[in-house]
Every structure is written in structure tokens, then in C-alpha cells.
Amino acid sequence: LKKIAVLISGRGSNFKAIKKSIDEGYIKDACISVVISDKENAAGLEFARESGLDARYINPKEFDGRENYDRELVRVLDELEIDLVCLAGFMRIISGYFVENYRNRIINIHPSLLPSFAGLDVQQRAIDHGVKFSGCTVHFVDEKMDNGPIIIQAVVPVLDDDTDETLSARILVEEHKIYPEAVRLFTEDRLKVEGRRVLQV
Ligand code: GRF
């Protein structure tokens, strides 16, 4: 049984998609052991609680700096013997300490076709740049933001009348497909990282 930790900061729709895939048996032999939020009133945290999951708010203000916060995260993850960390709208940059301790065991979802449009406000930036296609990327997390080896991507068209909201919504539909798919591949030990490339075995 693979133990998953989901880290969120807000709505938690990707967390819900992963949970649904486990509940419905699409992802087998895996469980969500803990949901951690850095925001006390994250809607996703409330949902986790209502679902009877171990749902924890870890307040960044109680720790002096990023690395000390991440030391606490790693302590909790180690204690629970977590196999896979899913960042799902977790709005913090991960320290090198965290990456080193969970190398190739942290994955993230980003709402663009990386390496285009890393960082924040990416759907609006894609529209402003005039790209005709955007999408989303699930990738392993390394020391650089939105940079690690790419596991799965999905493409959506950018339409002439798109707004941040309409493009984000179109991308989100795909996020909810590819994130559970990536988790399934990971938990079935079917991902092999070779340099920057992630191969399905
Ligand atoms: C998603 O667009 C994800 O790609 C980005 O943050 C958003 C989180 O949404 N990293 P949710 O909290 O999973 O609903």
C-alpha cells in the first residue's frame, strides 16, 4: 500500500480528483495518509476533514524561514512513512532540504505546458503571449520552481475570446484527468526517471 500526502493551499479540486480516483479503484493499493495545508481556511482542508482524513494545518508563521517549515513537513512525512507527496495548489516554494529528502517522490501539477509559463498567473500570461495551445503538466519536483522531469502533459486550445477564467476552467478539466493518472503510474512503480526524461515502464 502506497501512502500519499497531499499538500494544498486552497480549493483542493486536484486533491479531490485524486481522492475520487482512489475511492473508485482507478488508483489501487494507495491511500491518502494526510492532507497538509499552509492556509488555515483552505476549502480543501475542510473537505479532507469532512471526509475523515488526517487533515492538518501547519502554520508557516510558527517557523523561522522556509527550511525550518520544510523540516517540520519532512518530520511529519517521515513519521507517517509517506511514499508520495502530491503538491496540489500548494503555493509555497519547496526548499532544497525537502527536495533532497523526497527526491523523485514529490510531484506537482502546473497549469501550463512547461517549460513555458512557469511561475504565477500563467493562464493570463499564456493569453497575453498569444499562444494557440496551452495545457497542464504533472512533473517531479526538483530544486528549481516548475522545472523537474515531466511525467504527463495535456493540451488544450486557447480560444480568441478566452479570459483567465475560461482558459483556467478548460485546463482544470485536464488537470483532474492527468494528476490521478500520474499518481496511478507512480503507485504502480511504472515511472522511471532518466535524467530529464520520465519513461513509462
Ligand atoms: C491548479 O490550477 C494547479 O495547476 C495549480 O494551482 C491550482 C490548484 O487548484 N498548481 P486546486 O486547489 O487543486 O483546485
Side-chain angles (χ1 to χ4, degrees):
L1 185 79
K2 293 280 199 299
K3 296 180 177 177
I4 300 171
V6 186
L7 274 53
I8 63 170
S9 297
R11 177 176 61 178
S13 70
N14 279 287
F15 149 56
K16 287 183 192 172
I18 294 166
K19 181 181 181 300
K20 185 162 180 268
S21 295
I22 294 172
D23 292 347
E24 292 178 353
Y26 177 69
I27 301 170
K28 296 183 184 69
D29 300 320
C31 66
I32 297 176
S33 294
V34 68
V35 177
I36 298 173
S37 173
D38 65 329
K39 296 276 188 322
E40 191 169 18
N41 48 20
L45 196 62
E46 190 51 38
F47 175 79
R49 243 178 239 126
E50 286 164 5
S51 308
L53 293 173
D54 182 348
R56 306 187 191 190
Y57 162 54
I58 304 183
N59 182 357
K61 293 203 180 81
E62 284 175 21
F63 301 88
D64 184 19
R66 179 174 297 149
E67 181 160 327
N68 283 320
Y69 185 76
D70 285 1
R71 280 182 188 277
E72 174 63 8
L73 291 182
V74 167
R75 192 190 64 73
V76 170
L77 299 172
D78 285 352
E79 193 171 78
L80 298 172
E81 299 181 319
I82 294 300
D83 297 293
L84 173 65
V85 180
C86 295
L87 308 183
F90 187 59
M91 300 304 287
R92 290 177 62 84
I93 292 172
I94 298 301
S95 65
Y97 175 83
F98 191 174
V99 174
E100 269 163 39
N101 278 270
Y102 278 81
R103 171 103 41 209
N104 291 345
R105 290 188 289 158
I106 312 170
I107 63 179
N108 180 45
I109 185 142
H110 182 78
S112 77
L113 295 174
L114 291 173
S116 290
F117 308 112
L120 294 174
D121 196 23
V122 300
Q123 294 93 338
Q124 186 62 51
R125 282 165 53 212
I127 292 169
D128 293 346
H129 195 90
V131 296
K132 299 300 184 191
F133 291 91
S134 188
C136 45
T137 304
V138 180
H139 64 93
F140 284 107
V141 172
D142 70 5
E143 279 80 357
K144 294 186 200 147
M145 189 180 51
D146 301 327
N147 178 74
I150 292 168
I151 301 168
I152 309 183
Q153 294 185 303
V155 179
V156 307
V158 179
L159 307 179
D160 288 352
D161 58 358
D162 261 336
T163 62
D164 188 353
E165 287 71 30
T166 59
L167 179 58
S168 297
R170 191 174 309 118
I171 292 172
L172 196 64
V173 171
E174 300 305 315
E175 293 185 36
H176 295 163
K177 294 177 192 164
I178 68 169
Y179 212 166
E181 170 71 1
V183 171
R184 185 177 69 84
L185 292 168
F186 182 96
T187 57
E188 292 177 359
D189 293 317
R190 288 177 51 202
L191 299 176
K192 189 171 159 214
V193 182
E194 277 188 3
R196 274 216 56 90
R197 303 184 71 207
V198 181
L199 311 178
Q200 286 186 28
V201 295

